[in-house]
PDB file of all heavy atoms in Angstrom:
ATOM      1  N   LYS A   1       0.765  -1.142   0.023  1.00  0.00           N
ATOM      2  CA  LYS A   1       0.016   0.007  -0.039  1.00  0.00           C
ATOM      3  C   LYS A   1       0.855   1.268  -0.040  1.00  0.00           C
ATOM      4  O   LYS A   1       1.786   1.282   0.800  1.00  0.00           O
ATOM      5  CB  LYS A   1      -0.924   0.021   1.159  1.00  0.00           C
ATOM      6  CG  LYS A   1      -2.059  -0.954   1.135  1.00  0.00           C
ATOM      7  CD  LYS A   1      -2.987  -0.861   2.487  1.00  0.00           C
ATOM      8  CE  LYS A   1      -4.193  -1.761   2.250  1.00  0.00           C
ATOM      9  NZ  LYS A   1      -5.055  -1.723   3.413  1.00  0.00           N
ATOM     10  N   GLY A   2       0.566   2.180  -0.854  1.00  0.00           N
ATOM     11  CA  GLY A   2       1.310   3.430  -0.988  1.00  0.00           C
ATOM     12  C   GLY A   2       2.429   3.300  -1.925  1.00  0.00           C
ATOM     13  O   GLY A   2       2.972   4.417  -2.271  1.00  0.00           O
ATOM     14  N   ARG A   3       2.798   2.186  -2.334  1.00  0.00           N
ATOM     15  CA  ARG A   3       3.924   2.018  -3.215  1.00  0.00           C
ATOM     16  C   ARG A   3       3.513   1.456  -4.608  1.00  0.00           C
ATOM     17  O   ARG A   3       4.134   1.778  -5.706  1.00  0.00           O
ATOM     18  CB  ARG A   3       5.041   1.022  -2.624  1.00  0.00           C
ATOM     19  CG  ARG A   3       5.578   1.493  -1.276  1.00  0.00           C
ATOM     20  CD  ARG A   3       6.768   0.691  -0.913  1.00  0.00           C
ATOM     21  NE  ARG A   3       6.374  -0.615  -0.586  1.00  0.00           N
ATOM     22  CZ  ARG A   3       6.897  -1.764  -1.249  1.00  0.00           C
ATOM     23  NH1 ARG A   3       7.727  -1.595  -2.129  1.00  0.00           N
ATOM     24  NH2 ARG A   3       6.509  -2.971  -1.010  1.00  0.00           N
ATOM     25  N   PHE A   4       2.559   0.549  -4.604  1.00  0.00           N
ATOM     26  CA  PHE A   4       2.102  -0.114  -5.826  1.00  0.00           C
ATOM     27  C   PHE A   4       0.743   0.422  -6.225  1.00  0.00           C
ATOM     28  O   PHE A   4      -0.144   0.705  -5.461  1.00  0.00           O
ATOM     29  CB  PHE A   4       1.946  -1.680  -5.556  1.00  0.00           C
ATOM     30  CG  PHE A   4       3.316  -2.431  -5.548  1.00  0.00           C
ATOM     31  CD1 PHE A   4       4.521  -1.711  -5.195  1.00  0.00           C
ATOM     32  CD2 PHE A   4       3.369  -3.786  -5.427  1.00  0.00           C
ATOM     33  CE1 PHE A   4       5.687  -2.413  -5.127  1.00  0.00           C
ATOM     34  CE2 PHE A   4       4.476  -4.481  -5.316  1.00  0.00           C
ATOM     35  CZ  PHE A   4       5.667  -3.713  -5.194  1.00  0.00           C
ATOM     36  N   THR A   5       0.407   0.451  -7.543  1.00  0.00           N
ATOM     37  CA  THR A   5      -0.838   0.751  -8.011  1.00  0.00           C
ATOM     38  C   THR A   5      -1.245  -0.093  -9.219  1.00  0.00           C
ATOM     39  O   THR A   5      -0.412  -0.338 -10.118  1.00  0.00           O
ATOM     40  CB  THR A   5      -0.672   2.171  -8.734  1.00  0.00           C
ATOM     41  OG1 THR A   5      -0.379   3.123  -7.591  1.00  0.00           O
ATOM     42  CG2 THR A   5      -2.068   2.643  -9.098  1.00  0.00           C
ATOM     43  N   ILE A   6      -2.524  -0.692  -9.114  1.00  0.00           N
ATOM     44  CA  ILE A   6      -2.985  -1.614 -10.006  1.00  0.00           C
ATOM     45  C   ILE A   6      -4.022  -0.716 -10.879  1.00  0.00           C
ATOM     46  O   ILE A   6      -4.678   0.122 -10.378  1.00  0.00           O
ATOM     47  CB  ILE A   6      -3.795  -2.837  -9.337  1.00  0.00           C
ATOM     48  CG1 ILE A   6      -4.213  -3.763 -10.552  1.00  0.00           C
ATOM     49  CG2 ILE A   6      -5.021  -2.378  -8.513  1.00  0.00           C
ATOM     50  CD1 ILE A   6      -4.652  -5.082  -9.897  1.00  0.00           C
ATOM     51  N   ALA A   7      -4.018  -1.048 -12.194  1.00  0.00           N
ATOM     52  CA  ALA A   7      -4.997  -0.324 -13.096  1.00  0.00           C
ATOM     53  C   ALA A   7      -5.259  -1.315 -14.193  1.00  0.00           C
ATOM     54  O   ALA A   7      -4.616  -2.249 -14.465  1.00  0.00           O
ATOM     55  CB  ALA A   7      -4.385   0.936 -13.600  1.00  0.00           C
ATOM     56  N   ARG A   8      -6.374  -0.938 -14.968  1.00  0.00           N
ATOM     57  CA  ARG A   8      -6.682  -1.782 -16.156  1.00  0.00           C
ATOM     58  C   ARG A   8      -7.283  -0.926 -17.299  1.00  0.00           C
ATOM     59  O   ARG A   8      -7.748   0.053 -17.058  1.00  0.00           O
ATOM     60  CB  ARG A   8      -7.672  -2.828 -15.739  1.00  0.00           C
ATOM     61  CG  ARG A   8      -9.041  -2.295 -15.291  1.00  0.00           C
ATOM     62  CD  ARG A   8      -9.966  -3.459 -14.673  1.00  0.00           C
ATOM     63  NE  ARG A   8      -9.982  -4.619 -15.645  1.00  0.00           N
ATOM     64  CZ  ARG A   8     -10.516  -5.746 -15.190  1.00  0.00           C
ATOM     65  NH1 ARG A   8     -10.797  -6.046 -13.934  1.00  0.00           N
ATOM     66  NH2 ARG A   8     -10.676  -6.854 -16.095  1.00  0.00           N
ATOM     67  N   ASP A   9      -6.902  -1.463 -18.397  1.00  0.00           N
ATOM     68  CA  ASP A   9      -7.468  -0.825 -19.670  1.00  0.00           C
ATOM     69  C   ASP A   9      -8.375  -1.985 -20.493  1.00  0.00           C
ATOM     70  O   ASP A   9      -7.832  -2.780 -21.014  1.00  0.00           O
ATOM     71  CB  ASP A   9      -6.386  -0.388 -20.550  1.00  0.00           C
ATOM     72  CG  ASP A   9      -6.768   0.334 -21.872  1.00  0.00           C
ATOM     73  OD1 ASP A   9      -8.114   0.231 -22.229  1.00  0.00           O
ATOM     74  OD2 ASP A   9      -5.950   1.099 -22.519  1.00  0.00           O
ATOM     75  N   ASN A  10      -9.688  -1.890 -20.279  1.00  0.00           N
ATOM     76  CA  ASN A  10     -10.602  -2.894 -20.687  1.00  0.00           C
ATOM     77  C   ASN A  10     -10.611  -2.836 -22.204  1.00  0.00           C
ATOM     78  O   ASN A  10     -10.810  -3.934 -22.802  1.00  0.00           O
ATOM     79  CB  ASN A  10     -11.945  -2.616 -20.112  1.00  0.00           C
ATOM     80  CG  ASN A  10     -12.088  -2.916 -18.672  1.00  0.00           C
ATOM     81  OD1 ASN A  10     -11.207  -3.702 -18.086  1.00  0.00           O
ATOM     82  ND2 ASN A  10     -12.845  -2.262 -17.966  1.00  0.00           N
ATOM     83  N   ALA A  11     -10.494  -1.613 -22.864  1.00  0.00           N
ATOM     84  CA  ALA A  11     -10.460  -1.723 -24.312  1.00  0.00           C
ATOM     85  C   ALA A  11      -9.230  -2.456 -24.885  1.00  0.00           C
ATOM     86  O   ALA A  11      -9.365  -3.033 -25.948  1.00  0.00           O
ATOM     87  CB  ALA A  11     -10.431  -0.270 -24.799  1.00  0.00           C
ATOM     88  N   MET A  12      -8.178  -2.576 -24.157  1.00  0.00           N
ATOM     89  CA  MET A  12      -7.037  -3.357 -24.542  1.00  0.00           C
ATOM     90  C   MET A  12      -6.864  -4.639 -23.763  1.00  0.00           C
ATOM     91  O   MET A  12      -5.885  -5.459 -24.171  1.00  0.00           O
ATOM     92  CB  MET A  12      -5.703  -2.487 -24.315  1.00  0.00           C
ATOM     93  CG  MET A  12      -5.553  -1.154 -25.077  1.00  0.00           C
ATOM     94  SD  MET A  12      -5.569  -1.540 -26.842  1.00  0.00           S
ATOM     95  CE  MET A  12      -3.963  -2.202 -27.008  1.00  0.00           C
ATOM     96  N   ASN A  13      -7.808  -4.848 -23.011  1.00  0.00           N
ATOM     97  CA  ASN A  13      -7.718  -6.188 -22.151  1.00  0.00           C
ATOM     98  C   ASN A  13      -6.359  -6.440 -21.491  1.00  0.00           C
ATOM     99  O   ASN A  13      -5.844  -7.438 -21.454  1.00  0.00           O
ATOM    100  CB  ASN A  13      -8.000  -7.372 -23.145  1.00  0.00           C
ATOM    101  CG  ASN A  13      -9.468  -7.433 -23.669  1.00  0.00           C
ATOM    102  OD1 ASN A  13     -10.291  -7.118 -22.931  1.00  0.00           O
ATOM    103  ND2 ASN A  13      -9.613  -7.856 -24.816  1.00  0.00           N
ATOM    104  N   THR A  14      -5.980  -5.402 -20.741  1.00  0.00           N
ATOM    105  CA  THR A  14      -4.727  -5.343 -20.071  1.00  0.00           C
ATOM    106  C   THR A  14      -5.000  -4.886 -18.686  1.00  0.00           C
ATOM    107  O   THR A  14      -5.894  -4.139 -18.386  1.00  0.00           O
ATOM    108  CB  THR A  14      -3.627  -4.673 -20.713  1.00  0.00           C
ATOM    109  OG1 THR A  14      -4.029  -3.253 -20.777  1.00  0.00           O
ATOM    110  CG2 THR A  14      -3.355  -5.020 -22.114  1.00  0.00           C
ATOM    111  N   VAL A  15      -4.115  -5.438 -17.813  1.00  0.00           N
ATOM    112  CA  VAL A  15      -4.101  -4.873 -16.350  1.00  0.00           C
ATOM    113  C   VAL A  15      -2.566  -4.694 -16.018  1.00  0.00           C
ATOM    114  O   VAL A  15      -1.746  -5.520 -16.402  1.00  0.00           O
ATOM    115  CB  VAL A  15      -4.727  -5.915 -15.427  1.00  0.00           C
ATOM    116  CG1 VAL A  15      -4.002  -7.166 -15.388  1.00  0.00           C
ATOM    117  CG2 VAL A  15      -4.698  -5.366 -13.992  1.00  0.00           C
ATOM    118  N   SER A  16      -2.247  -3.612 -15.207  1.00  0.00           N
ATOM    119  CA  SER A  16      -0.997  -3.313 -15.037  1.00  0.00           C
ATOM    120  C   SER A  16      -0.738  -3.122 -13.520  1.00  0.00           C
ATOM    121  O   SER A  16      -1.681  -3.057 -12.794  1.00  0.00           O
ATOM    122  CB  SER A  16      -0.577  -1.928 -15.665  1.00  0.00           C
ATOM    123  OG  SER A  16      -1.278  -0.852 -15.024  1.00  0.00           O
ATOM    124  N   LEU A  17       0.545  -3.200 -13.155  1.00  0.00           N
ATOM    125  CA  LEU A  17       0.921  -2.954 -11.710  1.00  0.00           C
ATOM    126  C   LEU A  17       2.199  -2.179 -11.733  1.00  0.00           C
ATOM    127  O   LEU A  17       3.343  -2.514 -12.121  1.00  0.00           O
ATOM    128  CB  LEU A  17       1.270  -4.302 -11.030  1.00  0.00           C
ATOM    129  CG  LEU A  17       1.632  -4.295  -9.579  1.00  0.00           C
ATOM    130  CD1 LEU A  17       0.252  -3.978  -8.784  1.00  0.00           C
ATOM    131  CD2 LEU A  17       2.236  -5.640  -9.050  1.00  0.00           C
ATOM    132  N   GLN A  18       1.902  -0.871 -11.261  1.00  0.00           N
ATOM    133  CA  GLN A  18       3.021   0.159 -11.304  1.00  0.00           C
ATOM    134  C   GLN A  18       3.621  -0.017  -9.764  1.00  0.00           C
ATOM    135  O   GLN A  18       2.964   0.087  -8.843  1.00  0.00           O
ATOM    136  CB  GLN A  18       2.501   1.524 -11.350  1.00  0.00           C
ATOM    137  CG  GLN A  18       3.551   2.546 -11.200  1.00  0.00           C
ATOM    138  CD  GLN A  18       4.562   2.528 -12.200  1.00  0.00           C
ATOM    139  OE1 GLN A  18       4.337   2.324 -13.506  1.00  0.00           O
ATOM    140  NE2 GLN A  18       5.919   2.597 -11.862  1.00  0.00           N
ATOM    141  N   MET A  19       4.961  -0.424  -9.910  1.00  0.00           N
ATOM    142  CA  MET A  19       5.650  -0.736  -8.624  1.00  0.00           C
ATOM    143  C   MET A  19       6.683   0.480  -8.371  1.00  0.00           C
ATOM    144  O   MET A  19       7.633   0.543  -9.131  1.00  0.00           O
ATOM    145  CB  MET A  19       6.288  -2.047  -8.625  1.00  0.00           C
ATOM    146  CG  MET A  19       5.256  -3.147  -8.882  1.00  0.00           C
ATOM    147  SD  MET A  19       5.956  -4.790  -8.784  1.00  0.00           S
ATOM    148  CE  MET A  19       7.117  -4.620 -10.225  1.00  0.00           C
ATOM    149  N   ASN A  20       6.531   1.265  -7.322  1.00  0.00           N
ATOM    150  CA  ASN A  20       7.462   2.314  -6.925  1.00  0.00           C
ATOM    151  C   ASN A  20       8.119   1.981  -5.569  1.00  0.00           C
ATOM    152  O   ASN A  20       7.572   1.147  -4.825  1.00  0.00           O
ATOM    153  CB  ASN A  20       6.722   3.686  -6.896  1.00  0.00           C
ATOM    154  CG  ASN A  20       6.133   4.004  -8.254  1.00  0.00           C
ATOM    155  OD1 ASN A  20       6.619   3.742  -9.271  1.00  0.00           O
ATOM    156  ND2 ASN A  20       4.990   4.700  -8.127  1.00  0.00           N
ATOM    157  N   SER A  21       9.169   2.684  -5.219  1.00  0.00           N
ATOM    158  CA  SER A  21       9.967   2.438  -4.119  1.00  0.00           C
ATOM    159  C   SER A  21      10.136   1.021  -3.727  1.00  0.00           C
ATOM    160  O   SER A  21       9.896   0.634  -2.636  1.00  0.00           O
ATOM    161  CB  SER A  21       9.095   3.177  -2.869  1.00  0.00           C
ATOM    162  OG  SER A  21       8.911   4.571  -3.135  1.00  0.00           O
ATOM    163  N   LEU A  22      10.600   0.281  -4.687  1.00  0.00           N
ATOM    164  CA  LEU A  22      10.802  -1.171  -4.419  1.00  0.00           C
ATOM    165  C   LEU A  22      11.836  -1.481  -3.417  1.00  0.00           C
ATOM    166  O   LEU A  22      12.893  -0.740  -3.271  1.00  0.00           O
ATOM    167  CB  LEU A  22      11.251  -1.779  -5.864  1.00  0.00           C
ATOM    168  CG  LEU A  22      10.090  -1.886  -6.839  1.00  0.00           C
ATOM    169  CD1 LEU A  22      10.641  -2.054  -8.168  1.00  0.00           C
ATOM    170  CD2 LEU A  22       9.213  -3.001  -6.427  1.00  0.00           C
ATOM    171  N   LYS A  23      11.566  -2.578  -2.743  1.00  0.00           N
ATOM    172  CA  LYS A  23      12.491  -3.113  -1.725  1.00  0.00           C
ATOM    173  C   LYS A  23      12.981  -4.498  -2.053  1.00  0.00           C
ATOM    174  O   LYS A  23      12.267  -5.152  -2.799  1.00  0.00           O
ATOM    175  CB  LYS A  23      11.564  -3.116  -0.426  1.00  0.00           C
ATOM    176  CG  LYS A  23      11.006  -1.808   0.043  1.00  0.00           C
ATOM    177  CD  LYS A  23      10.133  -2.014   1.231  1.00  0.00           C
ATOM    178  CE  LYS A  23       9.455  -0.644   1.653  1.00  0.00           C
ATOM    179  NZ  LYS A  23       8.599  -0.883   2.939  1.00  0.00           N
ATOM    180  N   PRO A  24      14.108  -4.914  -1.408  1.00  0.00           N
ATOM    181  CA  PRO A  24      14.548  -6.244  -1.659  1.00  0.00           C
ATOM    182  C   PRO A  24      13.546  -7.270  -1.351  1.00  0.00           C
ATOM    183  O   PRO A  24      13.482  -8.361  -2.091  1.00  0.00           O
ATOM    184  CB  PRO A  24      15.826  -6.265  -0.797  1.00  0.00           C
ATOM    185  CG  PRO A  24      16.230  -5.010  -0.723  1.00  0.00           C
ATOM    186  CD  PRO A  24      15.163  -4.101  -0.643  1.00  0.00           C
ATOM    187  N   GLU A  25      12.571  -7.076  -0.445  1.00  0.00           N
ATOM    188  CA  GLU A  25      11.689  -7.989  -0.106  1.00  0.00           C
ATOM    189  C   GLU A  25      10.509  -8.274  -0.965  1.00  0.00           C
ATOM    190  O   GLU A  25       9.752  -9.021  -0.945  1.00  0.00           O
ATOM    191  CB  GLU A  25      11.034  -7.825   1.283  1.00  0.00           C
ATOM    192  CG  GLU A  25      10.616  -6.304   1.527  1.00  0.00           C
ATOM    193  CD  GLU A  25      11.604  -5.502   2.166  1.00  0.00           C
ATOM    194  OE1 GLU A  25      12.866  -5.624   1.828  1.00  0.00           O
ATOM    195  OE2 GLU A  25      11.250  -4.785   3.196  1.00  0.00           O
ATOM    196  N   ASP A  26      10.512  -7.260  -2.011  1.00  0.00           N
ATOM    197  CA  ASP A  26       9.640  -7.380  -3.117  1.00  0.00           C
ATOM    198  C   ASP A  26      10.122  -8.299  -4.248  1.00  0.00           C
ATOM    199  O   ASP A  26       9.261  -8.668  -5.167  1.00  0.00           O
ATOM    200  CB  ASP A  26       9.479  -6.005  -3.862  1.00  0.00           C
ATOM    201  CG  ASP A  26       8.624  -5.011  -2.923  1.00  0.00           C
ATOM    202  OD1 ASP A  26       7.715  -5.404  -2.288  1.00  0.00           O
ATOM    203  OD2 ASP A  26       9.115  -3.807  -2.842  1.00  0.00           O
ATOM    204  N   THR A  27      11.177  -8.858  -4.082  1.00  0.00           N
ATOM    205  CA  THR A  27      11.739  -9.831  -5.025  1.00  0.00           C
ATOM    206  C   THR A  27      11.035 -11.054  -5.097  1.00  0.00           C
ATOM    207  O   THR A  27      10.675 -11.748  -4.085  1.00  0.00           O
ATOM    208  CB  THR A  27      13.243 -10.218  -4.665  1.00  0.00           C
ATOM    209  OG1 THR A  27      14.013  -9.062  -4.835  1.00  0.00           O
ATOM    210  CG2 THR A  27      13.678 -11.284  -5.760  1.00  0.00           C
ATOM    211  N   ALA A  28      10.478 -11.508  -6.279  1.00  0.00           N
ATOM    212  CA  ALA A  28       9.589 -12.569  -6.442  1.00  0.00           C
ATOM    213  C   ALA A  28       9.202 -12.704  -7.851  1.00  0.00           C
ATOM    214  O   ALA A  28       9.481 -11.954  -8.745  1.00  0.00           O
ATOM    215  CB  ALA A  28       8.259 -12.435  -5.596  1.00  0.00           C
ATOM    216  N   VAL A  29       8.626 -13.907  -8.209  1.00  0.00           N
ATOM    217  CA  VAL A  29       7.821 -14.035  -9.454  1.00  0.00           C
ATOM    218  C   VAL A  29       6.408 -13.505  -9.316  1.00  0.00           C
ATOM    219  O   VAL A  29       5.708 -14.014  -8.363  1.00  0.00           O
ATOM    220  CB  VAL A  29       7.881 -15.580  -9.809  1.00  0.00           C
ATOM    221  CG1 VAL A  29       7.090 -15.700 -11.166  1.00  0.00           C
ATOM    222  CG2 VAL A  29       9.235 -16.041 -10.100  1.00  0.00           C
ATOM    223  N   TYR A  30       6.096 -12.626 -10.302  1.00  0.00           N
ATOM    224  CA  TYR A  30       4.777 -11.980 -10.049  1.00  0.00           C
ATOM    225  C   TYR A  30       3.900 -12.717 -11.092  1.00  0.00           C
ATOM    226  O   TYR A  30       4.346 -12.716 -12.357  1.00  0.00           O
ATOM    227  CB  TYR A  30       4.922 -10.427 -10.238  1.00  0.00           C
ATOM    228  CG  TYR A  30       5.400  -9.679  -9.175  1.00  0.00           C
ATOM    229  CD1 TYR A  30       6.654  -9.823  -8.875  1.00  0.00           C
ATOM    230  CD2 TYR A  30       4.677  -8.864  -8.452  1.00  0.00           C
ATOM    231  CE1 TYR A  30       7.213  -9.281  -7.613  1.00  0.00           C
ATOM    232  CE2 TYR A  30       5.085  -8.200  -7.346  1.00  0.00           C
ATOM    233  CZ  TYR A  30       6.495  -8.399  -6.840  1.00  0.00           C
ATOM    234  OH  TYR A  30       6.820  -7.728  -5.796  1.00  0.00           O
ATOM    235  N   TYR A  31       2.696 -12.980 -10.553  1.00  0.00           N
ATOM    236  CA  TYR A  31       1.657 -13.719 -11.505  1.00  0.00           C
ATOM    237  C   TYR A  31       0.363 -12.845 -11.565  1.00  0.00           C
ATOM    238  O   TYR A  31      -0.062 -12.247 -10.716  1.00  0.00           O
ATOM    239  CB  TYR A  31       1.269 -14.943 -10.773  1.00  0.00           C
ATOM    240  CG  TYR A  31       2.313 -16.055 -10.690  1.00  0.00           C
ATOM    241  CD1 TYR A  31       3.076 -16.043  -9.614  1.00  0.00           C
ATOM    242  CD2 TYR A  31       2.663 -16.918 -11.758  1.00  0.00           C
ATOM    243  CE1 TYR A  31       4.226 -16.963  -9.397  1.00  0.00           C
ATOM    244  CE2 TYR A  31       3.566 -17.849 -11.560  1.00  0.00           C
ATOM    245  CZ  TYR A  31       4.448 -17.880 -10.525  1.00  0.00           C
ATOM    246  OH  TYR A  31       5.356 -18.846 -10.354  1.00  0.00           O
ATOM    247  N   CYS A  32      -0.120 -12.878 -12.867  1.00  0.00           N
ATOM    248  CA  CYS A  32      -1.400 -12.188 -13.137  1.00  0.00           C
ATOM    249  C   CYS A  32      -2.469 -13.322 -13.048  1.00  0.00           C
ATOM    250  O   CYS A  32      -2.212 -14.392 -13.559  1.00  0.00           O
ATOM    251  CB  CYS A  32      -1.339 -11.580 -14.529  1.00  0.00           C
ATOM    252  SG  CYS A  32      -3.002 -10.935 -15.090  1.00  0.00           S
ATOM    253  N   ALA A  33      -3.600 -12.990 -12.429  1.00  0.00           N
ATOM    254  CA  ALA A  33      -4.723 -13.817 -12.284  1.00  0.00           C
ATOM    255  C   ALA A  33      -6.044 -13.302 -12.626  1.00  0.00           C
ATOM    256  O   ALA A  33      -6.258 -12.017 -12.503  1.00  0.00           O
ATOM    257  CB  ALA A  33      -4.667 -14.403 -10.913  1.00  0.00           C
ATOM    258  N   ALA A  34      -7.037 -14.080 -13.017  1.00  0.00           N
ATOM    259  CA  ALA A  34      -8.305 -13.631 -13.190  1.00  0.00           C
ATOM    260  C   ALA A  34      -9.410 -14.514 -12.633  1.00  0.00           C
ATOM    261  O   ALA A  34      -9.210 -15.785 -12.485  1.00  0.00           O
ATOM    262  CB  ALA A  34      -8.664 -13.647 -14.744  1.00  0.00           C
ATOM    263  N   ARG A  35     -10.614 -13.910 -12.153  1.00  0.00           N
ATOM    264  CA  ARG A  35     -11.765 -14.721 -11.597  1.00  0.00           C
ATOM    265  C   ARG A  35     -12.925 -14.161 -12.157  1.00  0.00           C
ATOM    266  O   ARG A  35     -13.070 -13.040 -12.531  1.00  0.00           O
ATOM    267  CB  ARG A  35     -11.678 -14.661 -10.085  1.00  0.00           C
ATOM    268  CG  ARG A  35     -12.029 -13.276  -9.515  1.00  0.00           C
ATOM    269  CD  ARG A  35     -11.764 -13.182  -7.987  1.00  0.00           C
ATOM    270  NE  ARG A  35     -12.561 -14.173  -7.280  1.00  0.00           N
ATOM    271  CZ  ARG A  35     -13.590 -13.992  -6.531  1.00  0.00           C
ATOM    272  NH1 ARG A  35     -13.860 -12.640  -6.238  1.00  0.00           N
ATOM    273  NH2 ARG A  35     -14.160 -14.945  -5.868  1.00  0.00           N
ATOM    274  N   VAL A  36     -13.984 -14.990 -12.277  1.00  0.00           N
ATOM    275  CA  VAL A  36     -15.263 -14.547 -12.852  1.00  0.00           C
ATOM    276  C   VAL A  36     -16.085 -13.683 -11.810  1.00  0.00           C
ATOM    277  O   VAL A  36     -16.747 -12.710 -12.340  1.00  0.00           O
ATOM    278  CB  VAL A  36     -16.010 -15.807 -13.181  1.00  0.00           C
ATOM    279  CG1 VAL A  36     -17.430 -15.493 -13.646  1.00  0.00           C
ATOM    280  CG2 VAL A  36     -15.318 -16.701 -14.180  1.00  0.00           C
ATOM    281  N   LEU A  37     -16.134 -14.122 -10.503  1.00  0.00           N
ATOM    282  CA  LEU A  37     -16.864 -13.246  -9.659  1.00  0.00           C
ATOM    283  C   LEU A  37     -16.414 -11.810  -9.612  1.00  0.00           C
ATOM    284  O   LEU A  37     -15.167 -11.500  -9.576  1.00  0.00           O
ATOM    285  CB  LEU A  37     -16.800 -13.887  -8.295  1.00  0.00           C
ATOM    286  CG  LEU A  37     -17.530 -15.257  -8.171  1.00  0.00           C
ATOM    287  CD1 LEU A  37     -17.383 -15.721  -6.823  1.00  0.00           C
ATOM    288  CD2 LEU A  37     -19.057 -15.104  -8.611  1.00  0.00           C
ATOM    289  N   PRO A  38     -17.333 -10.883  -9.490  1.00  0.00           N
ATOM    290  CA  PRO A  38     -17.056  -9.441  -9.629  1.00  0.00           C
ATOM    291  C   PRO A  38     -16.545  -8.712  -8.309  1.00  0.00           C
ATOM    292  O   PRO A  38     -17.016  -7.673  -7.999  1.00  0.00           O
ATOM    293  CB  PRO A  38     -18.323  -8.747 -10.035  1.00  0.00           C
ATOM    294  CG  PRO A  38     -19.447  -9.575  -9.479  1.00  0.00           C
ATOM    295  CD  PRO A  38     -18.858 -10.907  -9.549  1.00  0.00           C
ATOM    296  N   THR A  39     -15.780  -9.424  -7.539  1.00  0.00           N
ATOM    297  CA  THR A  39     -15.179  -8.885  -6.351  1.00  0.00           C
ATOM    298  C   THR A  39     -13.758  -9.267  -6.079  1.00  0.00           C
ATOM    299  O   THR A  39     -13.374 -10.296  -6.540  1.00  0.00           O
ATOM    300  CB  THR A  39     -15.970  -9.387  -4.997  1.00  0.00           C
ATOM    301  OG1 THR A  39     -15.876 -10.788  -5.059  1.00  0.00           O
ATOM    302  CG2 THR A  39     -17.277  -8.807  -5.152  1.00  0.00           C
ATOM    303  N   PRO A  40     -12.956  -8.217  -5.717  1.00  0.00           N
ATOM    304  CA  PRO A  40     -11.482  -8.675  -5.432  1.00  0.00           C
ATOM    305  C   PRO A  40     -11.407  -9.589  -4.114  1.00  0.00           C
ATOM    306  O   PRO A  40     -12.153  -9.460  -3.232  1.00  0.00           O
ATOM    307  CB  PRO A  40     -10.872  -7.232  -5.211  1.00  0.00           C
ATOM    308  CG  PRO A  40     -11.884  -6.434  -4.670  1.00  0.00           C
ATOM    309  CD  PRO A  40     -13.192  -6.776  -5.289  1.00  0.00           C
ATOM    310  N   THR A  41     -10.450 -10.381  -4.264  1.00  0.00           N
ATOM    311  CA  THR A  41     -10.152 -11.268  -3.000  1.00  0.00           C
ATOM    312  C   THR A  41      -8.712 -11.561  -2.915  1.00  0.00           C
ATOM    313  O   THR A  41      -7.929 -11.544  -3.932  1.00  0.00           O
ATOM    314  CB  THR A  41     -10.902 -12.527  -3.160  1.00  0.00           C
ATOM    315  OG1 THR A  41     -10.611 -13.357  -1.919  1.00  0.00           O
ATOM    316  CG2 THR A  41     -10.597 -13.271  -4.326  1.00  0.00           C
TER     317      THR A  41
END
């Protein structure tokens, strides 16, 4: 929170993750995922 921003462009069918102020503990493999239900979890 306060460092990353998620956004989407439905016309282009894309979702982005802007990551600022990165820390060594952010090191990982990052995965994109999708679900049918219209709520985040």
Side-chain angles (χ1 to χ4, degrees):
K1 287 182 179 178
R3 300 189 299 121
F4 291 11
T5 302
I6 188 171
R8 66 192 302 164
D9 185 340
N10 292 329
M12 297 296 293
N13 290 323
T14 59
V15 60
S16 65
L17 185 70
Q18 178 65 45
M19 305 184 295
N20 299 325
S21 301
L22 284 163
K23 305 174 181 179
E25 51 263 44
D26 294 319
T27 296
V29 176
Y30 283 70
Y31 297 90
C32 177
R35 70 189 301 247
V36 174
L37 295 179
T39 54
T41 178

